[in-house]
Amino acid sequence: MTTRRTEVLAAVLTFFVGVALCPAAVLAADDYQESSRLLKEGRRAEALDRVDAFLTQHPKDARARFLKGVVLTEQGKTDDAIKVFMELTQDYPELPEPYNNLAVLYAGQGDYQKARKALETAIRPHPSYAVAHENLGDIYATLASLAYDKALQLDSGNATARKKLALIKELVPAKSAATLARVESDKSPVPTSGSRPNTIEPPAASKAPAEASPADKLTGDKQAEMTTSGADTADGVVKMLEAWARAWSNNDAEAYLAFYAPDFRTPNGEPRKEWEAARRQRLAKPKKIRVTTSSPRVKSTDNTHAVVTFRQSYSSGNLKSVGTKSLQVVRIGDRWLIEQELIDK
Amino acid sequence: MIQKLALRHGARARAITLPLLAAVILAGDVSAMGSHPGRLARTLRMPETMLVEALIDIRNNRLGTALERVDALLAVKPDFRLAQLVKGDLLMARARPIPTLGAADAPAERLNDLRDEARARLARYTVPPPSDRVPKYLVQLQAEQRYAVVVDTAKSTLYLFENREGMPRYLADYYITVGKNGTNKLREGDKKTPVGVYHVTGQLARDKLDPFYGSGAFPISYPNEWDARLGRNGHGIWLHGTPRDTYSRPPRASDGCVVLANEDLDDLAKRVQIGVTPVVIADNIEWIPLQATQTLRATLNEHMDNWRADWESRNAERYLQHYSRAFSADNTNLAQWSAQKRYVNANKDWIRVRLSAASMFLYPGRDDLAVINFLQDYSSSNLSNKMRKRQYWIREGSTWKILYEGAG
């Protein structure tokens, strides 16, 4: 537990340094960097001495104070660490990281209420962060309800799947958005893609597995909210099919993989990561891939599930193939995603 | 690098919302797991192991690992409903704090069924069968019985034993479902599983069965003579599989049958001998040291031999002293039985009785009742026959008496 907590703190430290709040510290950075290095080596007492030395010269330096908090935490001096992070939250209330670490320390003490408050406070100064947080929560809830349906053999009509997601209408100022996007997207627990988010993406949009694409969110800001309730199944599925073939033809692995549902059944039951890696490799080859689809027929099984059968022609280098294929698709939010690929003999 | 660490960062923040979930489902002491002095090292099936390990991950706040495990499990067994429920919880917990296992908006009864299954599977995993003990009911197996089945309804477990020179040796155990209304079946349609000493009476192949019964069925001998004596009725108690779209059913869900996962039933099917394999069903198996079964085994064998010798003596009174006053068999009471034996014995010059292939079982829940099956080779001056017999012996004071006797 302690080890894990330490890693968590270390992670936050990395962001913090990356954001580089206090360029004035560059000249005297030796003590700071030395302290950071000592901490990594587990020489905590020495790390503390160094960072204290640094702080006598730069008593207001935020990242050094933050580092001191991390060192104290690793030393098990929880109360001292809490004091350091607490003061940081007072001086820099807009920074989420000290709140996060406070939450970790409170949780370590078993005080989950305080931990929760700290985390909520971390989010509060950042409206878009909070919206993304909520949207992500809605997505998880939707995915959960799909699993519950299977667990309990319920036909819930998937009311939750039609849940409206709140669209962020305005971008926060660029600098702060960049910071937030990094933090939030890194927090996102479902690593569906390995790419780093762009700096001005709205937080979480790139990682939430079933959410609207970032582009939709940015360009659609006149539209107050997205809803899928009016979507026509056949129309939506066919559009998805075309976009999927396009992403494939464009060798755009990330866009292509984004068409697969979180519970996609890999063809041979291999782990999702393995399958994704294989697909990425295949799409990355510097070859011209051309995939076209024709005569799609959509059969919906219920509000959120359908099977689309179509002719697929594929050509890449010398390889050409034409065949009938079926995709089992599911609607999550306003998107249709592939649950299973079936190739007819 | 940043990504990886940050994931932990995120996971930790979420983990905080979950300890309650773990507390409710894992009321038992999981920390005691690992090494079990006197416990068997055994291999449970992959789905069960993965599910329970995911539950333990949850208990230990490793939610990311738990979800990975459940996802991997569901890729192979999408019809494992409990695993779907756990997956739902793990996702839901990211959206909001959840109070207990099964945060779905669904009828409480359905959720409780799955919670019970989680508890049962966790308990099975946590406490393997003891390595140095056997169920007290298996007093003696006969050579032809290569295996014995003992069901523990309270532990949702069917144990399979191998016959090693008359003594049971643990082979495997499987998660099972029993009657919706529990055990001690009394009446037709009461949806209860009988408790007692039975054997497999037949086999119903998959293609002759409704798909509901899965990969096959083995009817057992309920109601037996003891059930009949107590006025218990009903029929059609089977060991059977599960429908194709269902990996397992909750601990209490059947109409009285004992239900196994299809892959487990297939395993069992390789070993079951029709008409031979005993099936003992108990509410809570009492495990005793192997040596301890020897005492009762010796006592019963001695009583059997005395009974045999007294029969050969043609002294009807000595022979009849082995029978309980409560004796009855096939519409015959002790008085009628005694009159018949006195009459028959008087006309004989000699009697010879050979007993063999005896199997003995102590009745679950009744330390004073034993079922003995044997082969009886009877010859006398005017009549000879060979037959399979079954006797129920009851302890009266310091001795054992025959309560029932009939063809077995």
Side-chain angles (χ1 to χ4, degrees):
Chain A
M1 193 62 101
T2 311
T3 323
R4 222 151 33 105
R5 196 161 59 219
T6 307
E7 283 166 1
V8 168
L9 287 167
V12 173
L13 178 68
T14 313
F15 290 122
F16 209 63
V17 174
V19 173
L21 286 153
C22 202
V26 170
L27 283 177
D30 280 1
D31 275 327
Y32 176 84
Q33 275 157 11
E34 186 59 14
S35 171
S36 174
R37 190 184 63 79
L38 289 165
L39 179 65
K40 278 185 195 130
E41 288 175 9
R43 293 153 70 180
R44 293 166 190 150
E46 293 163 74
L48 188 62
D49 288 346
R50 282 301 184 110
V51 77
D52 275 339
F54 183 90
L55 280 169
T56 47
Q57 291 172 41
H58 310 276
K60 283 283 160 200
D61 186 288
R63 58 172 196 166
R65 288 162 68 190
F66 191 86
L67 176 63
K68 180 174 177 175
V70 175
V71 175
L72 289 168
T73 305
E74 287 210 2
Q75 286 182 316
K77 297 176 185 163
T78 305
D79 291 341
D80 294 341
I82 286 177
K83 187 162 172 283
V84 169
F85 290 127
M86 188 76 91
E87 286 166 2
L88 272 172
T89 62
Q90 283 154 9
D91 294 348
Y92 302 93
E94 76 285 5
L95 291 179
E97 291 89 346
Y99 285 111
N100 178 79
N101 287 6
L102 273 177
V104 170
L105 288 163
Y106 290 140
Q109 291 178 325
D111 195 338
Y112 299 116
Q113 283 307 335
K114 264 187 169 171
R116 183 178 146 187
K117 244 193 179 140
L119 287 172
E120 283 171 356
T121 317
I123 295 166
R124 197 171 302 136
H126 312 291
S128 32
Y129 195 111
V131 170
H133 193 78
E134 224 166 84
N135 279 343
L136 189 58
D138 285 350
I139 293 298
Y140 286 135
T142 304
L143 291 172
S145 84
L146 292 173
Y148 287 146
D149 286 355
K150 287 183 194 157
L152 298 152
Q153 306 268 288
L154 298 173
D155 183 17
S156 68
N158 281 298
T160 43
R162 290 193 295 274
K163 190 167 280 178
K164 295 171 181 174
L165 295 176
L167 186 72
I168 295 171
K169 291 180 211 164
E170 278 175 49
L171 281 180
V172 285
K175 185 195 166 207
S176 138
T179 313
L180 295 174
R182 289 185 64 131
V183 173
E184 170 63 5
S185 57
D186 277 317
K187 266 187 128 172
S188 170
V190 182
T192 51
S193 87
S195 71
R196 300 280 301 137
N198 295 328
T199 44
I200 47 172
E201 268 174 21
S206 66
K207 293 299 183 60
E211 215 173 336
S213 74
D216 289 348
K217 286 204 143 185
L218 285 173
T219 55
D221 52 3
K222 292 237 169 66
Q223 181 190 345
E225 57 191 17
M226 307 180 303
T227 131
T228 62
S229 50
D232 172 357
T233 297
D235 192 34
V237 171
V238 170
K239 276 192 179 131
M240 182 230 83
L241 187 65
E242 286 162 3
W244 168 76
R246 206 157 45 236
W248 193 352
S249 299
N250 292 341
N251 298 63
D252 186 348
E254 297 315 320
Y256 170 84
L257 289 174
F259 284 99
Y260 290 83
D263 60 347
F264 171 66
R265 275 196 239 164
T266 56
N268 303 309
E270 67 266 46
R272 172 71 171 254
K273 277 184 187 149
E274 220 173 278
W275 174 81
E276 286 196 357
R279 296 307 294 159
R280 272 204 190 89
Q281 202 182 3
R282 184 61 66 89
L283 267 69
K285 283 193 179 157
K287 257 190 228 159
K288 182 69 200 144
I289 300 175
R290 209 177 117 78
V291 182
T292 56
T293 61
S294 56
S295 34
R297 273 167 298 131
V298 180
K299 211 178 134 186
S300 57
T301 41
D302 61 37
N303 272 346
T304 54
H305 292 81
V307 174
V308 54
T309 306
F310 56 95
R311 297 283 290 169
Q312 174 182 301
S313 68
Y314 171 93
S315 66
S316 163
N318 298 327
L319 182 67
K320 275 195 170 63
S321 75
V322 178
T324 304
K325 195 170 187 175
S326 295
L327 298 177
Q328 194 180 310
V329 294
V330 60
R331 188 168 65 196
I332 299 176
D334 71 335
R335 302 193 72 196
W336 286 95
L337 298 172
I338 300 165
E339 273 191 318
Q340 197 173 6
E341 292 192 16
L342 311 153
I343 295 164
D344 293 355
K345 295 268 159 64
Chain B
M1 181 64 174
I2 289 172
Q3 173 119 2
K4 188 173 157 221
L5 290 169
L7 285 174
R8 289 206 191 96
H9 165 168
R12 178 63 206 184
R14 284 191 319 280
I16 292 166
T17 61
L18 263 126
L20 255 179
L21 162 70
V24 174
I25 57 169
L26 306 177
D29 183 11
V30 179
S31 61
M33 281 178 17
S35 68
H36 293 278
R39 295 281 169 188
L40 277 166
R42 62 171 178 173
T43 314
L44 293 178
R45 282 204 191 277
M46 178 281 285
E48 179 159 54
T49 305
M50 283 185 74
L51 179 95
V52 172
E53 284 175 353
L55 292 175
I56 292 169
D57 283 336
I58 293 172
R59 168 78 180 75
N60 295 326
N61 251 343
R62 293 189 299 259
L63 302 190
T65 318
L67 188 57
E68 274 172 31
R69 229 188 269 277
V70 169
D71 273 338
L73 166 56
L74 286 171
V76 189
K77 295 278 172 204
D79 53 357
F80 196 166
R81 291 180 194 167
L82 175 56
Q84 294 282 8
L85 186 77
V86 173
K87 176 178 176 173
D89 281 346
L90 285 166
L91 290 167
M92 191 58 91
R94 292 176 168 184
R96 57 181 170 81
I98 63 174
T100 183
L101 178 78
D105 181 17
E109 191 192 335
R110 308 274 286 274
L111 288 169
N112 285 334
D113 275 352
L114 290 172
R115 287 180 189 130
D116 289 345
E117 182 174 345
R119 239 175 250 121
R121 288 193 181 271
L122 195 63
R124 275 173 43 67
Y125 180 93
T126 313
V127 186
S131 60
D132 50 354
R133 284 161 185 258
V134 294
K136 70 194 291 192
Y137 324 111
L138 303 180
V139 179
Q140 177 173 304
L141 297 172
Q142 56 110 336
E144 201 194 341
Q145 288 164 331
R146 297 184 48 216
Y147 303 96
V149 167
V150 184
V151 171
D152 193 326
T153 60
K155 295 207 165 52
S156 303
T157 297
L158 181 150
Y159 298 91
L160 179 65
F161 294 89
E162 181 184 28
N163 179 0
R164 281 286 180 96
E165 290 159 6
M167 290 301 176
R169 207 183 73 141
Y170 168 89
L171 265 193
D173 64 280
Y174 311 105
Y175 169 85
I176 52 144
T177 295
V178 297
K180 191 170 296 191
N181 293 330
T183 57
N184 283 310
K185 186 170 186 62
L186 203 57
R187 295 275 172 266
E188 173 97 47
D190 63 7
K191 298 187 190 303
K192 289 182 176 182
T193 298
V195 164
V197 176
Y198 306 99
H199 60 270
V200 173
T201 58
Q203 175 166 22
L204 303 166
R206 173 201 292 260
D207 52 2
K208 301 239 160 53
L209 282 171
D210 186 288
F212 178 76
Y213 300 103
S215 65
F218 295 97
I220 62 170
S221 57
Y222 174 87
N224 64 22
E225 296 81 2
W226 178 248
D227 294 319
R229 185 185 175 101
L230 297 183
R232 295 174 183 155
N233 59 33
H235 70 283
I237 300 297
W238 300 352
L239 313 180
H240 66 76
T242 56
R244 185 192 297 255
D245 65 347
T246 307
Y247 177 70
S248 66
R249 294 171 62 190
R252 285 184 170 201
S254 79
D255 286 348
C257 291
V258 173
V259 185
L260 293 94
N262 288 327
E263 53 194 13
D264 294 339
L265 191 86
D266 293 343
D267 245 21
L268 199 62
K270 288 180 209 146
R271 282 145 171 165
V272 162
Q273 298 164 281
I274 311 305
V276 176
T277 301
V279 177
V280 179
I281 305 179
D283 265 340
N284 224 324
I285 294 181
E286 264 189 76
W287 299 79
I288 60 171
L290 196 56
Q291 289 81 357
T293 64
Q294 309 276 25
T295 318
L296 182 60
R297 185 182 190 173
T299 306
L300 290 175
N301 273 302
E302 193 188 326
H303 277 84
M304 287 282 286
D305 197 56
N306 290 341
W307 166 75
R308 183 198 61 81
D310 290 338
W311 193 1
E312 284 186 341
S313 78
R314 287 178 292 131
N315 179 335
E317 302 319 308
R318 269 174 64 188
Y319 166 79
L320 287 170
Q321 75 181 358
H322 292 285
Y323 289 81
S324 163
R325 293 158 69 101
F327 174 84
S328 71
D330 306 329
N331 304 321
T332 311
N333 62 23
L334 183 62
Q336 292 159 325
W337 179 272
S338 303
Q340 162 75 4
K341 288 293 173 182
R342 285 191 188 104
Y343 171 77
V344 170
N345 278 9
N347 296 318
K348 290 185 188 297
D349 297 327
W350 56 271
I351 297 176
R352 204 198 64 171
V353 183
R354 292 282 174 270
L355 307 178
S356 62
S359 59
M360 303 177 170
F361 305 92
L362 194 61
Y363 217 84
R366 291 286 306 237
D367 281 353
D368 60 346
L369 187 66
V371 184
I372 302 178
N373 304 293
F374 54 93
L375 199 62
Q376 174 184 294
D377 183 357
Y378 173 91
S379 43
S380 68
S381 50
N382 56 3
L383 181 76
S384 295
N385 72 15
K386 242 183 177 176
M387 69 186 294
R388 290 218 134 269
K389 257 196 171 170
R390 179 169 306 125
Q391 289 178 333
Y392 284 68
W393 288 68
I394 192 155
R395 196 176 57 213
E396 293 181 350
S398 59
T399 185
W400 289 78
K401 298 268 170 88
I402 299 166
L403 193 62
Y404 166 90
E405 182 171 334

